[in-house]
Amino acid sequence: MPRFFTEVPGGESALITGQDAVHIRRALRMKPGENLTLCDGQGTDYFCEITGFEGEDVRLKVLYHTPTACEPSVEITLYQGLPKGEKMEWILQKAVELGVSAVVPVAMARSVARLDGKEERKRARWQKIADEAAGQSGRGILPPVEPPHSWKGALERMKAAGVPVVAFYEGGGLPLAELVGRETRRLAVVVGPEGGFEPSEIEDLRALGAQVATLGPRILRCETAPLAALAVIMALTGNME
């Protein structure tokens, strides 16, 4: 069933405007009497019937609403070391599909990509990619992509959030199964860029109280590691069942 994120007003009717309305009419060629799903981006799905068209807009009748069934039980914030090229776009798309709740790009010591004054333009594109992935995968929220942080800024954000932190280090660490279980509800995951972490960054994280974990004896690329970590966390917390 087609699915769209939009603000859903109270009551029994809703109106879709803009590009979503154009997509419904011209691309999907939907007609009155057909059904679609609206999501308010806060975890609630509204099952609707098309009742008619007003110009380019689509008028809907809200049949019923339910909590989004596919949101995971664990809230994960991914702190991703800035990679070069289009790797960040790939990471964002797949991380959102896997269930990440927020993404914080971080300029680390070994990041090839650097903060260059175009952060807001990049963030806007990244958010669009995340939003599209959320819609495609049936998510109940639109995971925010924050502007790139400095390393110091990322540490301050982690400290303020007060959430358990797990950093995946190519130098080894604890098995993830020792750190995450079905009872885990909130978690911050930190993954380095192409060159990995500087030893001083790992020490900063340990000083913050973070646990250092391993994803096995093989060294994973920076675009593979966060996806492997998220998939394992989702499995350990029961969100792959």
Side-chain angles (χ1 to χ4, degrees), residues 75-79 158 161 163-168 186-190:
E75 181 182 310
I76 303 173
T77 298
L78 171 63
Y79 292 81
M158 290 178 219
V163 175
V165 178
V166 177
F168 291 93
R186 298 181 72 197
L187 196 67
V189 168
V190 190

Side-chain angles (χ1 to χ4, degrees), residues 1-239:
M1 184 182 297
R3 179 183 183 83
F4 300 90
F5 283 91
T6 185
E7 183 177 346
V8 182
E12 298 182 353
S13 64
L15 188 69
I16 297 183
T17 63
Q19 286 300 116
D20 284 344
V22 172
H23 184 67
I24 290 168
R25 296 196 61 174
R26 298 182 183 176
L28 299 179
R29 298 183 182 276
M30 298 186 75
K31 296 177 173 56
E34 294 188 291
N35 300 113
L36 55 78
T37 302
L38 298 183
C39 183
D40 62 4
Q42 304 298 317
T44 301
D45 286 346
Y46 296 79
F47 295 87
C48 304
E49 178 184 312
I50 297 175
T51 57
F53 303 108
E54 299 177 8
E56 291 291 342
D57 300 339
V58 181
R59 176 66 65 181
L60 306 171
K61 177 182 179 181
V62 178
L63 303 176
Y64 61 94
H65 61 85
T66 63
T68 304
C70 65
E71 275 304 299
S73 62
V74 57
E75 181 182 310
I76 303 173
T77 298
L78 171 63
Y79 292 81
Q80 174 64 48
L82 277 174
K84 63 183 179 180
E86 298 179 353
K87 292 179 181 179
M88 191 67 185
E89 297 179 6
W90 168 268
I91 292 168
L92 281 169
Q93 184 186 67
K94 303 309 174 187
V96 170
E97 291 177 18
L98 284 165
V100 78
S101 297
V103 180
V104 182
V106 184
M108 297 183 183
R110 296 182 181 176
S111 290
V112 176
R114 295 294 177 180
L115 303 183
D116 56 8
K118 300 177 182 177
E119 288 79 19
E120 181 51 36
R121 186 169 68 182
K122 289 180 180 178
R123 192 211 62 79
R125 174 167 172 75
W126 290 340
Q127 187 65 63
K128 184 175 185 293
I129 291 168
D131 291 352
E132 290 173 351
Q136 179 275 325
S137 58
R139 294 291 303 273
I141 66 168
L142 294 172
V145 182
E146 298 190 7
H149 285 47
S150 66
W151 179 243
K152 180 180 178 181
L155 291 173
E156 291 173 349
R157 189 192 185 287
M158 290 178 219
K159 183 176 180 180
V163 175
V165 178
V166 177
F168 291 93
Y169 185 37
E170 62 276 13
L174 294 172
L176 194 49
E178 294 184 16
L179 303 174
V180 176
R182 285 183 175 266
E183 73 287 349
T184 303
R185 290 294 175 264
R186 298 181 72 197
L187 196 67
V189 168
V190 190
V191 178
E194 288 92 345
F197 290 98
E198 283 279 1
S200 62
E201 291 171 334
I202 291 297
E203 292 308 310
D204 289 340
L205 288 165
R206 285 194 168 113
L208 198 68
Q211 297 282 359
V212 176
T214 178
L215 287 169
R218 293 159 301 282
I219 296 177
L220 304 182
R221 293 179 182 271
C222 70
E223 65 269 33
T224 306
L227 309 183
L230 288 169
V232 174
I233 291 169
M234 289 299 168
L236 289 172
T237 55
N239 287 288

